[in-house]
Amino acid sequence: DVKRLKELIPQAEQNKIPKADLEKAKKVLKAEEPRQDARDKLLAAHERGSPADLKVAIAAAKKAGVPAEELKEYEDLLAGAESKDKAEKALQDAMESLDVGALR
């Protein structure tokens, strides 16, 4: 948990925890902060319901090193949203191509 690690590092420094342990914790924090930020962006994009935002967030999460198993749910959501958008577009195109005069 990045938030908890951020809280504990200063406390550990004050309590004279061995430097090697502090350096390990700082290294983990440095690696995990971008991943946590990417996770937060994934969740926000999902909550907004925007396929475009979700696509950008997935790309950023991959770049940040978020594990593939964590991304699968969001990739599946994106695939479903894109499929729905394509179906709606095809239906709209079909409806627009009808000759309204011939229906009367």
Side-chain angles (χ1 to χ4, degrees):
D1 181 1
V2 170
K3 183 179 177 184
R4 185 77 176 130
L5 197 53
K6 282 182 176 181
E7 293 170 359
L8 290 176
I9 288 174
Q11 292 175 14
E13 289 172 331
Q14 290 174 354
N15 291 320
K16 310 289 187 215
I17 299 298
K19 188 174 182 178
D21 292 338
L22 280 170
E23 291 306 316
K24 280 185 194 177
K26 288 178 181 179
K27 187 177 180 179
V28 168
L29 180 60
K30 186 176 181 178
E32 283 300 317
E33 277 183 312
R35 290 184 195 123
Q36 186 58 51
D37 184 50
R39 288 179 187 107
D40 294 344
K41 288 178 180 172
L42 280 168
L43 185 57
H46 170 61
E47 288 172 353
R48 283 192 300 275
S50 165
D53 289 350
L54 193 54
K55 193 172 202 171
V56 169
I58 289 170
K62 286 179 180 180
K63 185 176 180 184
V66 174
E69 59 270 8
E70 288 183 46
L71 295 176
K72 181 162 179 16
E73 173 186 355
Y74 296 103
E75 290 171 330
D76 291 347
L77 287 169
L78 178 61
E82 288 177 336
S83 176
K84 178 184 170 202
D85 287 348
K86 285 179 187 175
E88 287 176 352
K89 172 90 169 91
L91 180 59
Q92 185 66 33
D93 289 348
M95 288 172 38
E96 289 174 2
S97 70
L98 292 176
D99 184 323
V100 177
L103 294 174
R104 291 179 190 205

